[in-house]
Amino acid sequence: MTRGRSGNGMRPAERPLDETASAPRFFVMVGGPGAGKGTQAQRLAVALDVPHVSSGDLFRAALESGSPLGSEARRFMDRGALVPDELTVRMVAQRLDDPDARRGAILDGFPRTVPQARALDRLLDRRGAGVEAALYIDVAPDELLRRLSGRWICRGPEQHVYHERSRPPLRAGICDIDGTKLRQRADDRPATIRTRLAEQLPPMYEVVDHYTDSGLLVAVPGEDTVEAVTSSLLGAIGKHGERPAPVPGMRA
Ligand code: AMP
């Protein structure tokens, strides 16, 4: 891939907007709850120098801020259901209006339904852009169940992820990286996990079919190590993502 990082030491949000003149790059991450979308999206965002936009994180931030959108979303999130498309699309659209998203984004957890995927196409089309590839992290449902059941997340801003069996922290209950206490997400509790999988996997498979039909799906096996999955994704993007030079005058 030829697109380099700017290396000017500025944080993405501080970068002057005229650096966004090249075509924006939007990728969507597809995968069941617990497939590793968040972890991989963070790594890809760094590698591709675009923001990581997680619909789940946006909902959790809205909940914490006590906004009406947050309290509306909570009714669905607490029971492991999907938040209605209209609310979800509105929230993601607002985030994509932020200046840093003019460079593109790694969308993590969005779209989760075919209507959301179509709405995303319209949103990006208005920005003169489109989805470059849909990155599907393929993990069997039994493995998703196992992963979600023992998942613990740190309270630091990067929300490092641990697992009781496969990735325990060095000190029980404490993040190895930033020393914050680990917590279990409300929707990772056993009663909610089965609902999440039952409610969220069928529409996700429809999203996989949608992107297969449009020729944008890149599927990688998700049961390997974190590093191996990242390099499969980057390798696949490299092959899939060779694009013509940006069209002059195209909106960034
Ligand atoms: P996540 O952190 O991606 O697992 O998302 C946490 C919860 O937020 C999900 O279980 C859903 O209730 C809700 N959510 C996140 N993204 C979406 C989406 N694209 N559509 C509908 N609901 C979503």
Side-chain angles (χ1 to χ4, degrees):
M1 208 171 308
T2 52
R3 294 167 63 102
R5 304 182 61 192
S6 79
N8 62 5
M10 296 174 86
R11 286 188 298 136
E14 296 167 341
R15 197 167 297 137
L17 291 182
D18 61 359
E19 261 194 40
T20 66
S22 58
R25 307 191 77 187
F26 289 95
F27 294 91
V28 304
M29 309 283 311
V30 185
K37 295 187 300 295
T39 303
Q40 294 300 332
Q42 278 175 4
R43 295 166 67 90
L44 294 184
V46 171
L48 300 173
D49 195 22
V50 292
H52 166 210
V53 173
S54 151
S55 48
D57 287 351
L58 291 173
F59 278 130
R60 281 182 287 276
L63 271 177
E64 275 159 32
S65 75
S67 72
L69 185 141
S71 30
E72 177 71 11
R74 163 169 266 148
R75 299 197 289 127
F76 300 91
M77 292 172 77
D78 279 354
R79 61 184 169 86
L82 288 178
V83 178
D85 290 335
E86 193 268 330
L87 203 63
T88 307
V89 169
R90 191 150 38 94
M91 178 187 68
V92 172
Q94 271 174 19
R95 174 63 184 89
L96 294 182
D97 278 340
D98 289 349
D100 63 339
R102 295 198 190 171
R103 300 200 309 281
I106 307 286
L107 288 158
D108 158 19
F110 179 90
R112 262 172 154 105
T113 65
V114 171
Q116 289 181 16
R118 295 207 173 105
L120 176 64
D121 284 343
R122 289 191 294 274
L123 275 175
L124 296 185
D125 192 50
R126 287 204 288 273
R127 291 165 168 77
V131 171
E132 190 169 325
L135 309 171
Y136 174 41
I137 307 183
D138 189 5
V139 175
D142 283 355
E143 172 66 8
L144 294 176
L145 183 61
R146 196 192 65 75
R147 288 187 186 182
L148 292 173
S149 308
R151 183 162 80 169
W152 289 79
I153 293 173
C154 88
R155 290 169 198 267
E158 290 180 22
Q159 305 195 20
H160 302 114
V161 181
Y162 295 85
H163 192 278
E164 282 167 10
R165 275 154 292 157
S166 53
R167 192 173 180 242
L170 296 172
R171 277 193 299 154
I174 305 289
C175 177
D176 297 346
I177 301 164
D178 59 27
T180 59
K181 278 194 180 161
L182 302 186
R183 64 182 176 89
Q184 196 168 35
R185 268 172 48 170
D187 57 356
D188 277 350
R189 297 196 180 120
T192 319
I193 291 174
R194 282 182 194 278
T195 319
R196 281 169 79 197
L197 293 175
E199 296 231 3
Q200 300 191 16
L201 289 184
M204 182 203 76
Y205 290 126
E206 288 174 17
V207 171
V208 169
D209 289 346
H210 170 84
Y211 285 118
T212 304
D213 293 346
S214 44
L216 295 176
L217 195 84
V218 167
V220 302
E223 296 185 26
D224 219 328
T225 61
V226 167
E227 291 76 16
V229 174
T230 309
S231 64
S232 306
L233 288 168
L234 286 172
I237 290 171
K239 284 192 213 109
H240 194 270
E242 292 307 324
R243 297 186 310 174
V247 179
M250 188 163 95
R251 276 181 295 145

